[in-house]
Amino acid sequence: MKPPNRVSDLECAICGSLSCKTFAPQSLFFPAASSNTVLPKHTNYLCEACGIVFMHPHPPQELVTKYYNEVYRESVYAIHHANGVADLPVQFPESAASFARFSNFIQCVEQVRKKYPGAAPSSHDTVIDIGGYQGMFLSAASQVYGCDGIVVDYNERGINFSQKALGFTRSSVIASLYDYAPSEPAKFATMVHAFEHVDNPRKVLDHIKRAVLRPDGYLYIEVPNLFGSSLSDPVHYFTFSKESLRYTLEVSGYQVLYLETGGNKHAPATINSDELVLICLARSVSTPKPSQPSGAKNTASLVQKNYAKLSRRAIAVQFRTAGNEFAKAIYYTIGHFVLEKLSTDLQRTVAKIKKWSGLRLH
Ligand SMILES: [Zn+2]
């Protein structure tokens, strides 16, 4: 008989194990259920062998494409008209956040280049940003390292912007990543908050290794961290911990050079923490070392415990913000009455001076 909670017909896409069980740690700040009304509801599962968390079922591809091209990228300022939708060419704060994420890249490659000098892009290199939308991340890359960039994304509007506004003329709209290959393999590929959206991480890593990167190329990945993010996003197909991301990369023929947790200072203060994301740099290798899945002992209780810790921190941030606002209100209230009083006193002083000096001012 099946153990309760176990879903034997679900095979882990990372390690092939059939030991996958439902996984739903949650709290007020980290909900497990999606509030999206366009895409069908999903359930998250944990692979007990490799620790990957994945959602099932995936929504139909037509719905996902529609979602990415419409709702996902649509700003609150969008104008719906008879012929379609007009929207802002640049969307703040999302576009700015994409640009700002480059600071994690700098921190990572500057650390790695101490041991591997080629790990940072130069003015001779091209960085291919997979899922890079408008190219804001590459804009930061070209300003910092002088490199060229190619954005690859499903979103036509984003690619137009990257070509025309940012000058990444080789950027291209793709229907499927598996059909994409640059005319010349690149030394760097980046996937910044894109890898959690792919339907088959190992297949994507294999394709990047074979068709996108040079044999010694580097792949930079930033994804939400299992221990610091909620599981409610209906298009986050996989959620990684440090251990499961390392295993996924190693078993796909990459050597992990850097893998740390980090934050995003532009994320809402209640959500941001130094455990919000995973920052990773890996190198494609011809003879990968054998890798063993780390298991998932106590993962559910550890994630739940971390949610509780981060929720307490979020509440403390709310109180600190409220305290600062209250202190400001007191400051302005006192300041207002003191200044008014001073002003009355000043008027009287001026009147006295006028009287004493016999001046007549009009
Ligand atoms: Zn697995």
Side-chain angles (χ1 to χ4, degrees):
M1 205 171 87
K2 285 181 193 172
N5 242 6
R6 197 172 292 267
V7 187
S8 62
D9 58 339
L10 286 174
E11 184 181 338
C12 171
I14 306 301
C15 74
S17 167
L18 290 171
S19 293
C20 303
K21 64 178 182 182
T22 51
F23 184 72
Q26 58 188 304
S27 76
L28 180 65
F29 290 94
F30 298 91
S34 165
S35 55
N36 185 288
T37 51
V38 178
L39 299 173
K41 299 287 174 215
H42 66 274
T43 304
N44 289 297
Y45 297 89
L46 170 76
C47 169
E48 292 180 302
C50 73
I52 196 80
V53 170
F54 59 97
M55 57 163 277
H56 182 82
H58 290 184
Q61 190 54 45
E62 323 82 73
L63 267 187
V64 176
T65 307
K66 196 169 146 63
Y67 176 67
Y68 281 140
N69 277 299
E70 295 173 10
V71 187
Y72 189 69
R73 298 295 190 189
E74 197 172 289
S75 81
V76 293
Y77 304 99
I79 301 165
H80 291 255
H81 57 95
N83 299 323
V85 184
D87 206 350
L88 291 169
V90 179
Q91 294 175 16
F92 287 94
E94 293 82 359
S95 300
S98 175
F99 181 90
R101 278 180 177 139
F102 195 71
S103 60
N104 284 344
F105 179 92
I106 297 174
Q107 181 195 316
C108 167
V109 299
E110 292 304 320
Q111 179 67 34
V112 174
R113 80 189 307 185
K114 289 176 189 165
K115 192 171 174 189
Y116 301 93
S122 74
S123 56
H124 308 294
D125 293 317
T126 296
V127 178
I128 299 181
D129 193 15
I130 298 164
Y133 185 39
Q134 292 183 316
M136 291 297 181
F137 185 81
L138 286 187
S139 171
S142 69
Q143 289 180 51
V144 175
Y145 292 107
C147 52
D148 197 2
I150 296 174
V151 186
V152 178
D153 200 283
Y154 299 122
N155 190 287
E156 201 175 328
R157 199 189 287 261
I159 293 299
N160 279 340
F161 185 88
S162 76
Q163 290 173 332
K164 290 172 187 161
L166 300 179
F168 298 126
T169 51
R170 290 180 287 161
S171 297
S172 60
V173 180
I174 51 164
S176 163
L177 176 60
Y178 306 119
D179 297 332
Y180 174 75
S183 54
E184 207 180 314
K187 188 175 168 192
F188 292 92
T190 55
M191 293 190 82
V192 182
H193 291 264
F195 195 53
E196 68 274 24
H197 294 267
V198 304
D199 62 346
N200 189 333
R202 286 193 58 180
K203 196 173 162 191
V204 163
L205 289 174
D206 183 58
H207 178 75
I208 291 172
K209 188 180 165 90
R210 281 188 298 99
V212 178
L213 281 180
R214 283 178 5 195
D216 58 344
Y218 295 87
L219 173 63
Y220 175 79
I221 291 177
E222 185 180 307
V223 283
N225 175 19
L226 173 65
F227 289 88
S229 311
S230 76
L231 297 164
S232 58
D233 196 306
V235 282
H236 283 187
Y237 295 165
F238 292 84
T239 307
F240 300 88
S241 63
K242 275 172 95 168
E243 294 74 20
S244 62
L245 182 59
R246 177 181 293 278
Y247 175 72
T248 305
L249 284 158
E250 286 181 351
V251 82
S252 307
Y254 291 78
Q255 176 193 7
V256 175
L257 305 176
Y258 183 99
L259 179 51
E260 297 292 338
T261 61
N264 175 0
K265 65 179 177 179
H266 299 286
T270 48
I271 296 299
N272 188 23
S273 75
D274 56 8
E275 295 172 274
L276 184 68
V277 296
L278 297 176
I279 301 156
C280 178
L281 185 70
R283 185 169 62 164
S284 170
V285 286
S286 50
T287 47
K289 65 170 191 178
S291 187
Q292 288 300 316
S294 62
K297 204 168 170 229
N298 303 327
T299 301
S301 63
L302 288 173
V303 170
Q304 190 66 55
K305 215 168 148 186
N306 228 43
Y307 280 177
K309 184 186 86 179
L310 293 173
S311 297
R312 287 195 295 275
R313 186 192 157 279
I315 292 165
V317 168
Q318 292 285 26
F319 269 104
R320 202 161 49 239
T321 309
N324 286 343
E325 291 303 312
F326 185 68
K328 262 191 220 167
I330 298 288
Y331 171 79
Y332 287 130
T333 306
I334 294 172
H336 170 72
F337 287 113
V338 167
L339 285 174
E340 265 212 339
K341 181 81 173 47
L342 269 183
S343 149
T344 312
D345 288 347
L346 272 175
Q347 283 171 20
R348 281 187 195 138
T349 308
V350 170
K352 277 178 195 170
I353 292 169
K354 278 196 286 185
K355 197 176 170 188
W356 289 338
S357 62
L359 280 173
R360 278 171 181 269
L361 300 174
H362 298 285

